[in-house]
Short mmCIF file of all heavy atoms in Angstrom, two decimals:
data_model
loop_
_atom_site.label_atom_id
_atom_site.label_comp_id
_atom_site.label_asym_id
_atom_site.label_seq_id
_atom_site.Cartn_x
_atom_site.Cartn_y
_atom_site.Cartn_z
N ARG A 1054 -111.46 4.70 74.76
CA ARG A 1054 -112.14 5.94 74.40
C ARG A 1054 -113.60 5.81 74.84
O ARG A 1054 -114.29 4.89 74.44
CB ARG A 1054 -112.06 6.20 72.89
CG ARG A 1054 -112.60 7.57 72.52
CD ARG A 1054 -112.53 7.84 71.03
NE ARG A 1054 -111.16 7.99 70.51
CZ ARG A 1054 -110.43 9.09 70.61
NH1 ARG A 1054 -110.90 10.15 71.24
NH2 ARG A 1054 -109.21 9.12 70.09
N PRO A 1081 -102.08 15.86 86.64
CA PRO A 1081 -101.17 15.80 87.80
C PRO A 1081 -99.77 15.30 87.42
O PRO A 1081 -98.77 15.82 87.93
CB PRO A 1081 -101.87 14.81 88.75
CG PRO A 1081 -103.31 14.83 88.34
CD PRO A 1081 -103.32 15.09 86.85
N TYR A 1175 -103.62 3.66 53.80
CA TYR A 1175 -103.14 4.86 53.14
C TYR A 1175 -101.62 4.90 53.10
O TYR A 1175 -101.03 5.71 52.39
CB TYR A 1175 -103.69 6.11 53.84
CG TYR A 1175 -105.20 6.15 53.76
CD1 TYR A 1175 -105.99 5.92 54.88
CD2 TYR A 1175 -105.83 6.37 52.54
CE1 TYR A 1175 -107.37 5.93 54.79
CE2 TYR A 1175 -107.21 6.38 52.44
CZ TYR A 1175 -107.98 6.16 53.57
OH TYR A 1175 -109.34 6.15 53.47
N ARG A 1368 -57.73 4.79 57.94
CA ARG A 1368 -57.04 6.09 57.99
C ARG A 1368 -57.87 7.06 57.18
O ARG A 1368 -58.32 6.73 56.08
CB ARG A 1368 -55.65 5.91 57.38
CG ARG A 1368 -54.94 7.17 57.00
CD ARG A 1368 -53.57 6.82 56.46
NE ARG A 1368 -52.58 7.16 57.46
CZ ARG A 1368 -51.69 8.13 57.30
NH1 ARG A 1368 -51.65 8.82 56.17
NH2 ARG A 1368 -50.81 8.40 58.23
N PRO A 1432 -77.36 25.07 54.83
CA PRO A 1432 -78.60 24.37 54.49
C PRO A 1432 -79.82 24.85 55.29
O PRO A 1432 -80.94 24.80 54.77
CB PRO A 1432 -78.29 22.90 54.79
CG PRO A 1432 -77.07 22.90 55.63
CD PRO A 1432 -76.31 24.14 55.27
N PRO A 1570 -71.05 38.91 50.82
CA PRO A 1570 -71.61 40.00 51.61
C PRO A 1570 -71.24 41.36 51.01
O PRO A 1570 -70.29 41.46 50.27
CB PRO A 1570 -71.01 39.84 53.00
CG PRO A 1570 -69.80 38.99 52.81
CD PRO A 1570 -69.97 38.21 51.56
#
Side-chain angles (χ1 to χ4, degrees):
R1054 188 180 291 280
Y1175 298 109
R1368 164 178 255 248

